[in-house]
Amino acid sequence: MKKILAIIFVIISLSSCEIDREPFGSMKSETIDNNPEAYIDALLNGVYGQLKAWSDPMHRLGEYAGDNMMIRGSSTDAFYEFISFARTPNNGRLGTFWDNGYKAIAQASNIINKIPLGKSPEFDSKLGECYYVRGLMYFYLVRAFGRPYYQSPETNLGVPIVNGTPNDVINATFPDRATVKATYEQAISDLKKAEELINVNKGPIFASKEAAQAMLSRVYLYMSGTYENPNPTYAQLSVDYATKVISQATRYSLLPRAEFMKYNTLKPENNRETIFAIKRVASEFSGDDHYYGIGGMYSNIGGMGWGEMYASAKYISLLNETGRNDWRPDKYKIVDARAAFIEPTYSQNAAGAFTEVFRFIKQDAGNLLNYAQLTTSRNGNVITCVEGVSPNQVTYTLTPVDAAQEIYSINYKDGKTYTGVIDNFISLNRVYPQFYIVKCSREGEDSQLHSPVISRLGEVYLNRAEAYAKLQKYSEALIDLNMIRTRSIVGGGYSSLNAANAGQLIDKERQLELAYQAERSFDVFRNGKPLTRQYPGPQNQTTDIAATDFRVVYYIPQSAINSYPGKLTQNPTN
């Protein structure tokens, strides 16, 4: 049975040759074998086509396991396991991530194996694109299924290294999982080969020399150890590769603040900050298909989307740290540019009027946190709010904390004092205010259309800032960190960076800047930090996930183990 499934997998890996749903998948393998150079563009489109299905679970397993979002309640969808850390090997979305990752590896490898180097600079450049995709896949696979690099990479298991379809498929036996170290070495080797070979930059929806360099800056950053125990060699390599990208000022630049606040609406081809993105087009969706895109869980736009996941209170608190972001239509004020990607669903009555409330987070039984939105009344400078109905109605007088920003405190009936804001009532889904996230929506202003961003210049600056800090070059790190910080917060640059605060400030900026790009959970664990999710939502609010927890890595999909022609070792179950 495993041999039969392996053959089916190989057949699939040789087809699906599409980037915009073109019918390249109908080519016969013998036709390709006789003249592979004639079909390299179609084959390469097939490699990129695999990234589309892969990118959906890639986003979900990276972002949902973090602390930037919350969901309205439990779900029967397989993605809920990413949120709850209830890891199981029978997860269809995880299977798609694995399968399409290895299909991309197989297709890229088959092109590499069929077309020799040196035929022409044009062919070499296209082979370089294949090396980029293969290196990218190995890195994303190993960070999901292999433990953080600082934890014994020589012995911890990564993923199998299988570069191409074997000549004898029937009798092939594939190797077991390589170590984390060996898998990283494979990814680095491929990305360096891509850097060497790609000589044409076709724009950010195709692999490029700079895309390889940007990814190498991240790969080496993942290898650079923790802030407490850094690896200077890998930190320096991260700096070196980040610098190669940053020096390309004529090709890439940070968007100015106002334009950055519309980043999600820009097509990647028209965005000079995007280095590589997986291109999606509207014709790939029909009708309700938009519901099932990445942005469809974060919002409902134009009647499209489930709108069941919202910005976490932890993330909103970070956005408001240097000054309140006010989303009310008549008082709209964005202090941190990243707050422009959040859109609360303010409720209006039949006359179009909003209801003023005092919103705060309170502690309920079992130390669980929940939102409260209490209707306010004003009498001169005195603001009160009420809870409940007569005769059990309770009235509270609010105490100013920062009246200019309409931040107040309340002495609540449980004897605790909470701080919150005067705002309009935000409509609820179950019991949670809907802080819609639109960072993965509105590309080209087309509802939930989104081309997942793999690398952009903002991340590369942050990569270099962290690597500099691990080299104890805090002045250089501060310059890079403030390039990102001051773009979003006018006058908000940090005054100093040192051994005591570098880890905290850089990690905070990465969380703010890279939210909803599938980076957060990996950023937490690779630096040896625990994941803390003490904010309203059905996730476990009271128990942190340590970087050493077995649930930090995902199980190898059982479907992959069942069909694998060889031994495929599962991750530990405790």
Side-chain angles (χ1 to χ4, degrees), residues 114-179:
K114 286 180 182 295
I115 300 177
L117 285 171
K119 292 187 70 68
S120 71
E122 178 187 5
F123 279 115
D124 282 358
S125 190
K126 292 175 181 179
L127 288 173
E129 293 181 60
C130 293
Y131 277 107
Y132 170 81
V133 171
R134 192 169 77 179
L136 181 74
M137 291 299 98
Y138 276 123
F139 172 64
Y140 272 78
L141 285 164
V142 74
R143 76 174 189 172
F145 298 107
R147 297 206 64 82
Y149 196 85
Y150 80 92
Q151 298 175 12
S152 303
E154 299 86 357
T155 55
N156 285 330
L157 294 181
V159 296
I161 298 174
V162 184
N163 291 334
T165 306
N167 292 327
D168 184 358
V169 174
I170 300 297
N171 298 303
T173 300
F174 292 166
D176 197 0
R177 297 165 65 189
T179 64

Side-chain angles (χ1 to χ4, degrees), residues 96 117 135 153 176 180 187 189 207 221 246 263 364 412 436 463 469 503 569:
T96 300
L117 285 171
D176 197 0
V180 167
S189 174
L221 189 69
I246 291 169
Y263 196 106
D364 285 343
Y412 197 54
Y436 277 177
N463 291 349
T569 301

Side-chain angles (χ1 to χ4, degrees), residues 327-361:
W327 292 283
R328 287 174 290 183
D330 60 334
K331 298 186 178 183
Y332 192 77
K333 180 182 179 182
I334 298 298
V335 175
D336 189 321
R338 279 107 21 148
F341 305 125
I342 309 300
E343 295 183 1
T345 58
Y346 289 122
S347 180
Q348 295 172 267
N349 62 22
F354 298 102
T355 299
E356 186 182 86
V357 297
F358 177 63
R359 187 174 55 258
F360 61 100
I361 293 173

Side-chain angles (χ1 to χ4, degrees), residues 282-314:
S283 61
E284 293 172 347
F285 300 92
S286 60
D288 289 347
D289 280 2
H290 270 307
Y291 267 88
Y292 299 94
I294 292 170
M297 286 305 299
Y298 293 140
S299 62
N300 180 294
I301 298 174
M304 289 291 174
W306 302 103
E308 295 181 4
M309 295 180 181
Y310 316 119
S312 70
K314 182 175 183 178

Side-chain angles (χ1 to χ4, degrees), residues 182-299:
T183 313
Y184 268 78
E185 288 172 346
Q186 176 68 50
I188 290 169
S189 174
D190 284 340
L191 292 169
K192 285 185 174 179
K193 198 67 175 177
E195 179 192 22
E196 173 193 340
L197 293 175
I198 301 176
N199 53 65
V200 177
N201 189 314
K202 299 185 291 186
I205 65 172
F206 298 96
S208 64
K209 182 187 298 290
E210 293 80 9
Q213 292 166 342
M215 191 52 56
L216 282 164
S217 80
R218 191 198 301 175
V219 172
Y220 281 122
L221 189 69
Y222 272 57
M223 301 170 72
S224 68
T226 65
Y227 286 100
E228 294 77 18
N229 187 25
N231 184 309
T233 299
Y234 294 135
Q236 184 60 56
L237 285 166
S238 181
V239 167
D240 293 344
Y241 277 99
T243 299
K244 288 182 179 183
V245 180
I246 291 169
S247 66
Q248 297 291 320
T250 57
R251 177 161 283 139
Y252 305 108
S253 60
L254 294 176
L255 297 180
R257 186 179 194 272
E259 197 172 353
F260 173 69
M261 291 165 69
K262 300 178 181 179
Y263 196 106
N264 58 309
T265 69
L266 303 177
K267 296 181 178 180
E269 305 95 310
N270 303 327
N271 190 329
R272 61 185 180 275
E273 186 168 332
T274 299
I275 299 169
F276 181 66
I278 297 169
K279 176 65 176 176
R280 304 304 303 266
V281 294
S283 61
E284 293 172 347
F285 300 92
S286 60
D288 289 347
D289 280 2
H290 270 307
Y291 267 88
Y292 299 94
I294 292 170
M297 286 305 299
Y298 293 140
S299 62

